[in-house]
Amino acid sequence: MKNISRRSFVNKFSIGVGSAAVISTIPSFMVPLNESPLLYYGKKLNVAICGLGNYAEAIANGLQSTQYCSLSGIVTGTLSKAQAWKTKYNIPEKNIYNYTNFDDIINNKNIDLVYITLPNGMHKEFTIRAAKAGKHVITEKPMATSPQDCREMIKACNDASVQLAVGYRLHYEPTHLEIKRLGQDKVFGQVRYIEAALGYKTYDMTKPAQSVDFSGHAEWRLNQKLSGGGPLMDLGIYCIQASRYVLGEEPVAVTAQFGHVNDAKRFAQVEESISWQMHFPSGAMASCNTSVGFNADRFYASADEGSFELSPALSFGPFKGKTSNGEINFPVINQQQTQLDGICSVILENKPLPKHITGEEGLKDLTIIAAIYEAAQTGHNIII
Ligand code: NDP
């Protein structure tokens, strides 16, 4: 992402005064007083959540205690949810949109940022539409369903001089910051081997195989177009992320194998389980598993002079861990609140977001995911 200085951002929205629509997209916090970020003290970004499903509830909950942003708008295709959220969170009617009239948000000065919690296959469209409306974007992981879509999203946000973040909540979580430190600072020497697994058993194998109506909202994760893939997209991405940030390296090659399919009707379009191995420039390797047919939540790193591990490791926690020297013990935090404040405080200061939560980071994960699928489909070692 290009470096967005406060001046260039303000200029972007100040020139072309002939267009009322452009002027009206100046975010409410963008008061061009002088260059000191301290002048924005006390300002909050106004956030609209787009797609009011399960995770939107967690984001809304986080937004109840944030210091640098607040829940100000919603985008939903379900009328009953619009009514329920309006009442529950005191959202003004003028800040409520549906997927058809969403682009009108360009005229709404009271929304600065759109948080996208739609199915993966819709992230690209709504990121680009939000960027064109002059809104900053946080999109949930996985950023999109292909590397090419990620590139288009990054370009759209760069072109519009808005910032783009991916909802990588664990980059703000103290236990994960600690394993990142242990790995990258080589506290136990070079990490040589990682095991990571995240799986949720989401159906009953003792019951007959299901035939799934792919138009159903609840089953979008089984629909290739809406999900981009199975548990690798949804859960395995945490194993990829943790391996990368503990090592501070990018994998150079992957091998992968699809797992056993217990329910062929349900998993007609996406995998039920997948195992993969990532090889890193230092010689380290990570062996990872993800599934919706079994439960797993574990991270283990073996280094030259010791080891560290978490279990639970990659879900919502609370996380529990130890090193070869003792316990890893950090307070439980509200992950969504911490992530939102972390991102919004940087945007309020008009500084570029840290690279590890931007669209470029999302693109790296999607590039690795594409290589893992190719490896599983071909049986080859795929060089990244
Ligand atoms: P849900 O199915 O619970 O919610 C998705 C919402 O998107 C729906 O409720 C609906 O909201 C809207 N929607 C619009 N069109 C469709 C469609 N065709 N099919 C289904 N839903 C549609 O999903 P989640 O909240 O679990 O996941 C949403 C995103 O958040 C995903 O990208 C997922 O990977 C990510 N996620 C991230 C987590 C994290 O820890 N960072 C945890 C869980 C999910 P409406 O009725 O308002 O239109």
Side-chain angles (χ1 to χ4, degrees), residues 7-55:
R7 191 181 302 280
S8 71
F9 189 85
V10 172
N11 284 346
K12 172 97 183 167
F13 286 96
S14 306
I15 54 176
V17 182
S19 162
V22 171
I23 295 167
S24 70
T25 62
I26 296 173
S28 54
F29 66 89
M30 257 315 168
V31 186
L33 298 174
N34 72 25
E35 297 296 315
S36 167
L38 290 176
L39 288 173
Y40 299 119
Y41 181 78
K43 301 270 179 201
K44 285 187 168 195
L45 288 184
N46 291 306
V47 175
I49 304 180
C50 179
L52 306 182
N54 288 326
Y55 199 58

Side-chain angles (χ1 to χ4, degrees), residues 282-298:
S282 62
M285 81 162 283
S287 175
C288 306
N289 286 282
T290 186
S291 177
V292 284
F294 57 76
N295 294 316
D297 187 359
R298 171 177 152 76

Side-chain angles (χ1 to χ4, degrees), residues 95-109:
N95 291 355
I96 300 177
Y97 295 88
N98 58 47
Y99 303 125
T100 308
N101 69 14
F102 174 63
D103 307 287
D104 295 344
I105 207 166
I106 192 172
N107 297 316
N108 192 334
K109 283 188 206 169

Side-chain angles (χ1 to χ4, degrees), residues 51-55 76-78 81 99 117-120 122-123 140-142 167 169 217 220-221 226 234 238 316:
L52 306 182
N54 288 326
Y55 199 58
T76 177
T78 309
K81 287 187 196 170
Y99 303 125
T117 47
L118 289 163
N120 311 338
M122 299 173 76
H123 293 180
E140 256 317 313
K141 45 55 52 180
R169 60 186 160 79
H217 261 202
W220 68 261
R221 283 183 168 83
L226 283 173
D234 198 27
Y238 289 100
F316 291 118

Side-chain angles (χ1 to χ4, degrees), residues 57-365:
E57 296 279 357
I59 296 299
N61 175 52
L63 281 163
Q64 300 315 298
S65 48
T66 38
Q67 195 182 339
Y68 298 108
C69 49
S70 50
L71 176 56
S72 305
I74 49 175
V75 186
T76 177
T78 309
L79 202 57
S80 57
K81 287 187 196 170
Q83 287 308 320
W85 279 60
K86 179 183 170 183
T87 310
K88 183 172 178 187
Y89 296 109
N90 199 21
I91 294 173
E93 189 67 41
K94 64 182 174 51
N95 291 355
I96 300 177
Y97 295 88
N98 58 47
Y99 303 125
T100 308
N101 69 14
F102 174 63
D103 307 287
D104 295 344
I105 207 166
I106 192 172
N107 297 316
N108 192 334
K109 283 188 206 169
N110 298 315
I111 303 294
D112 304 307
L113 185 150
V114 177
Y115 197 126
I116 298 171
T117 47
L118 289 163
N120 311 338
M122 299 173 76
H123 293 180
K124 172 187 159 186
E125 176 189 341
F126 282 83
T127 294
I128 293 174
R129 286 170 71 180
K132 284 187 173 161
K135 309 303 176 189
H136 300 293
V137 179
I138 305 175
T139 188
E140 256 317 313
K141 45 55 52 180
M143 177 175 165
T145 55
S146 72
Q148 181 53 29
D149 283 1
C150 294
R151 286 187 199 99
E152 290 174 40
M153 292 158 78
I154 293 167
K155 181 175 185 312
C157 290
N158 279 343
D159 288 350
S161 291
V162 297
Q163 300 226 46
L164 171 60
V166 182
Y168 290 128
R169 60 186 160 79
L170 294 180
H171 281 274
Y172 294 91
E173 200 287 323
T175 308
H176 278 263
L177 294 178
E178 175 64 359
I179 61 167
K180 185 176 181 177
R181 183 187 75 84
L182 294 175
Q184 290 199 17
D185 290 359
K186 301 191 183 351
V187 173
F188 294 97
Q190 171 67 45
V191 171
R192 301 284 173 194
Y193 174 67
I194 285 173
E195 274 175 22
L198 184 60
Y200 292 120
K201 191 173 181 307
T202 56
Y203 66 98
D204 189 347
M205 285 178 210
T206 61
K207 296 209 170 124
Q210 302 290 308
S211 80
V212 174
D213 170 10
F214 287 113
S215 65
H217 261 202
E219 301 289 2
W220 68 261
R221 283 183 168 83
L222 300 177
N223 176 322
Q224 173 69 31
K225 194 160 182 287
L226 283 173
S227 62
L232 179 59
M233 297 292 278
D234 198 27
L235 309 174
I237 192 167
Y238 289 100
C239 303
I240 297 170
Q241 274 275 304
S243 302
R244 289 177 53 227
Y245 57 69
V246 163
L247 287 166
E249 296 179 52
E250 299 304 324
V252 287
V254 292
T255 46
Q257 308 79 35
F258 289 121
H260 179 72
V261 181
N262 290 294
D263 187 336
K265 282 188 183 159
R266 184 179 286 271
F267 297 98
Q269 298 191 14
V270 301
E271 81 279 1
E272 181 179 331
S273 302
I274 186 167
S275 306
W276 71 101
Q277 303 76 41
M278 299 186 284
H279 303 267
F280 292 84
S282 62
M285 81 162 283
S287 175
C288 306
N289 286 282
T290 186
S291 177
V292 284
F294 57 76
N295 294 316
D297 187 359
R298 171 177 152 76
F299 180 89
Y300 171 80
S302 167
D304 282 339
E305 288 132 40
S307 62
F308 48 96
E309 63 188 282
L310 302 178
S311 181
L314 302 162
S315 55
F316 291 118
F319 303 121
K320 209 165 154 356
K322 62 179 184 191
T323 73
S324 37
N325 277 353
E327 276 190 13
I328 301 177
N329 202 351
F330 287 89
V332 175
I333 58 155
N334 181 323
Q335 294 179 29
Q336 289 73 27
Q337 177 250 310
T338 313
Q339 173 209 331
L340 280 153
D341 268 340
I343 292 171
C344 290
S345 58
V346 174
I347 296 179
L348 275 169
E349 286 193 45
N350 204 35
K351 290 185 179 159
L353 289 167
K355 282 254 180 265
H356 55 264
I357 53 130
T358 60
E360 276 81 359
E361 181 76 4
L363 169 59
K364 282 182 191 165
D365 280 342

